[in-house]
Amino acid sequence: MPGGYLTTREEIEAFARRTGLTRFTPEQMEEFSRAALYMGDLIAGLPRDFAPAEEPAHVFRAREEA
Amino acid sequence: MTDLAWMGITEASSLMRGRELSPVEYVEALFRRADALDDRLHAYIHPTREIALRSAREAEAEIAAGRYRGTLHGIPYGLKDIIDYAGVPTTAHSTLLEGNVPDRDAAVTERLTAAGCVLMGKMATHEFALGGPSWDLPWPPPRNPWNTDHFTGGSSSGSAAAVAAGLLPAALGTDTGGSVRGPASLCGIVGMKPTYGRVSRRGVFPLAFTLDTVGPLTRTVEDNALLLTAIAGHDPLDPASARVPVPDFAADPGAGVRGLRVGLIRHFYAKDMVADPEVSGAVEEAVEVLAGLGAEVRELQLEPLELYAACSRTLITSEAYAVHEKWLRERPDDYGASLRQRLLPGAFVRAVDYVHATRLRRRLVEQFEHAMEGFDVAVTVSSMDPPPRIEDADEIARTYPRQARQPFNVIGVPALALPVGYTRSGLPLSMQIAGRAFEEAAVYRAAAAYEQATDWISRRPPLD
């Protein structure tokens, strides 16, 4: 299932509207649909076997004075 | 005296300091060359002749008055057109930023101006440093000086084309997934992606915040080291800027590699992806040269290339979508198709996928640090294939992801691309040398030794 959660053209068009992408031409909506398909390739290969406490490589630091 | 088009920074600097070369004559000669060639190359978006001539006259006067600022005083350079120079348009090669004129310099621009450098112009890029080559933008894509039917790579395309063609001795680019090293590789020059945080990104249009770096493109390793020394350093206004000392990376170009421990990441190009034989053969020969110079070469095993690529794709697509979401909502028509198509998948990436990518990133960083114990630098290919033809969209689509540059963006370490030969048809071949975080000096040491032991940099593209 592409992207894991969107399968039909109608779902993809509804998703576009919900996310504010309302100015697409029909050709751009076609690009958006292809992007939904590509999303599956994009994240393929990402492991999902992380331990609960396995930290992201985030960079947030609280200021020392905070 | 070397032809001005091919003069390196060190020689030009020495001549200008000795008042044997006028900075103004240097700038005028390079603009004459650009006037003659850039209709074929399309490296420049916006030449800054008035600024260049004014800056060159100031440099000439200061040097004459004994106020010599250092090796970069009077040296011409170009800026990828996502880097700000006050009063000069920054377009990102896009309709979306036409008319955008910053009122402040980027941090790197400030540093180069303080060093006395002379801005020659803003250079072509892939639109917003992603996608391309594109044919539906206000400016055409640059052409490869070694054969103008071929692709320059991207996204610092104009910067690389101009340096390779002898239009400039140096230029700055940006590297998020390989965008300095890719065009450097395809155009046969030297390109450095420094450690993440080594060079300020302030005043540089973002592509992906956690991956973006600014790096120099030059024809020689020593020139590259000079540029990086000038632009590196802590900037409190860039939240990712590292507070670490900056050595003089060009201090000892003749240090050699005797005893240097070199890890060859062969599995990237022999197993994870199989490189074109001309590429892998050139890299293997280059490693033999390093070994012949006294380096201790052993194979180095990292995680498979695809794992880095999956991490990089997810991070770049998510972060770039966040940067561009507002314009994708309001002005989708103003994007070129290539960039729009690369941005849109970012709408579908779930938060959990992004977090997993950052968790993977930490794993990859730790694995690299562990694997590098006992090594000083790592060597591998840059592009898996020689430069494709620029109008062969299928071949560009096939070869674009076939590269080994993303790993070093994901783990944040320095990596440099340099020429290691030419294909039978005369197109450049390249390898990468990477190092531990903030150990650019070791990378330059290995690269300089290789460069001095070979004569690739003496070749010139067949333009004249």
Side-chain angles (χ1 to χ4, degrees):
Chain A
M1 186 164 64
Y5 54 98
L6 297 175
T7 53
T8 68
R9 177 68 178 244
E10 289 72 27
E11 285 177 330
I12 291 167
E13 289 183 0
F15 178 76
R17 287 193 296 273
R18 282 201 307 278
T19 52
L21 297 166
T22 56
R23 298 190 183 184
F24 282 169
T25 63
E27 292 76 19
Q28 289 163 358
M29 187 54 75
E30 186 57 39
E31 290 175 358
F32 196 57
S33 297
R34 286 200 299 273
L37 288 169
Y38 172 68
M39 193 272 184
D41 295 338
L42 188 108
I43 60 166
L46 273 185
R48 299 187 178 267
D49 61 338
F50 297 97
E54 205 166 336
E55 286 266 347
H58 54 67
V59 294
F60 174 75
R61 301 275 190 285
R63 286 183 182 278
E64 287 178 10
E65 63 268 29
Chain B
M1 183 190 299
T2 310
D3 181 337
L4 290 176
W6 304 112
M7 189 173 283
I9 291 174
T10 309
E11 183 181 359
S13 177
S14 172
L15 291 170
M16 285 193 279
R17 187 177 193 182
R19 301 179 67 183
E20 297 171 72
L21 171 63
S22 153
V24 177
E25 289 171 13
Y26 191 14
V27 162
E28 287 173 339
L30 293 182
F31 274 132
R32 278 196 299 276
R33 184 168 176 82
D35 289 341
L37 295 175
D38 206 38
D39 280 351
R40 289 154 58 195
L41 296 171
H42 309 302
Y44 275 101
I45 279 186
H46 185 94
T48 52
R49 287 170 200 270
E50 287 184 20
I51 290 171
L53 287 168
R54 187 176 67 236
S55 303
R57 284 190 204 103
E58 287 171 4
E60 189 164 69
E62 287 178 1
I63 293 169
R67 297 196 300 275
Y68 181 66
R69 299 193 203 181
T71 310
L72 294 180
H73 203 171
I75 297 296
Y77 76 103
L79 273 180
K80 180 177 183 175
D81 199 22
I82 64 168
I83 304 174
D84 286 346
Y85 188 102
V88 176
T90 298
T91 69
H93 209 127
S94 178
T95 302
L96 281 146
L97 285 188
E98 276 190 298
N100 171 54
V101 181
D103 57 10
R104 289 194 61 184
D105 285 345
V108 290
T109 312
E110 281 175 3
R111 288 176 182 267
L112 291 183
T113 299
C117 284
V118 174
L119 180 73
M120 298 285 282
K122 306 297 285 293
M123 315 311 294
T125 166
H126 290 344
E127 187 177 20
F128 287 103
L130 186 67
S134 299
W135 310 91
D136 55 356
L137 301 178
W139 302 272
R143 300 283 180 143
N144 195 314
W146 294 91
N147 183 331
T148 54
D149 289 336
H150 286 256
F151 186 35
T152 55
S155 61
S156 307
S157 321
S159 297
V163 172
L167 309 188
L168 295 171
L172 293 188
T174 59
D175 194 316
T176 304
S179 286
V180 163
R181 291 160 291 153
S185 299
L186 270 56
C187 293
I189 59 171
V190 180
M192 171 60 114
K193 181 208 90 69
T195 307
Y196 182 78
R198 174 66 98 179
V199 177
S200 174
R201 306 158 306 153
R202 175 168 52 89
V204 180
F205 198 95
L207 172 55
F209 303 105
T210 71
L211 294 157
D212 290 342
T213 59
V214 181
L217 298 105
T218 57
R219 288 189 294 273
T220 71
V221 174
E222 186 179 8
D223 286 357
N224 205 282
L226 284 166
L227 257 289
L228 183 61
T229 304
I231 63 173
H234 180 246
D235 175 8
L237 299 178
D238 174 354
S241 179
R243 198 183 291 273
V244 292
V246 179
D248 179 356
F249 296 115
D252 193 5
V257 290
R258 184 157 300 283
L260 196 77
R261 299 165 302 175
V262 176
L264 173 61
I265 316 170
R266 184 178 274 136
H267 67 89
F268 275 1
Y269 60 88
K271 181 182 172 197
D272 303 344
M273 280 184 187
V274 177
D276 181 280
E278 286 194 283
V279 173
S280 51
V283 171
E284 296 275 342
E285 284 179 21
V287 170
E288 285 178 21
V289 170
L290 289 172
L293 294 169
E296 298 170 12
V297 181
R298 288 178 288 134
E299 278 203 45
L300 171 61
Q301 183 79 29
L302 300 181
E303 293 292 332
L305 196 49
E306 172 52 25
L307 213 48
Y308 294 96
C311 185
S312 172
R313 282 195 304 267
T314 308
L315 296 177
I316 291 179
T317 308
S318 307
E319 295 181 25
Y321 189 84
V323 171
H324 288 274
E325 183 185 45
K326 185 172 186 290
W327 282 334
L328 285 167
R329 286 175 173 175
E330 297 174 356
R331 302 173 61 186
D333 291 342
D334 287 339
Y335 284 95
S338 173
L339 176 61
R340 195 173 53 239
Q341 288 163 15
R342 284 173 189 255
L343 290 172
L344 288 178
F348 299 99
V349 180
R350 298 175 306 164
V352 66
D353 299 319
Y354 183 80
V355 172
H356 282 333
T358 66
R359 292 170 117 186
L360 171 60
R361 187 178 201 178
R362 179 178 289 270
R363 277 189 187 176
L364 294 169
V365 169
E366 290 172 356
Q367 194 272 338
F368 179 79
E369 288 172 353
H370 179 69
M372 282 293 285
E373 288 172 9
F375 293 101
D376 298 302
V377 295
V379 170
T380 193
V381 300
S382 179
S383 295
M384 298 284 170
D385 304 282
R389 296 176 75 83
I390 194 168
E391 293 182 3
D392 187 343
D394 291 341
E395 184 64 0
I396 288 176
R398 186 186 74 82
T399 57
Y400 211 106
R402 283 176 42 80
Q403 48 105 337
R405 294 181 284 271
Q406 291 164 333
F408 307 114
N409 296 92
V410 167
I411 59 181
V413 301
L416 173 144
L418 81 166
V420 290
Y422 294 84
T423 65
R424 285 184 296 279
S425 58
L427 294 167
L429 298 166
S430 182
M431 77 170 173
Q432 286 185 99
I433 303 175
R436 289 196 194 83
F438 299 105
E439 293 192 6
E440 286 87 354
V443 173
Y444 280 128
R445 179 182 163 195
Y450 174 80
E451 183 183 80
Q452 288 161 20
T454 56
D455 65 353
W456 304 121
I457 62 170
S458 65
R459 288 211 194 180
R460 305 286 179 242
L463 288 166
D464 298 301

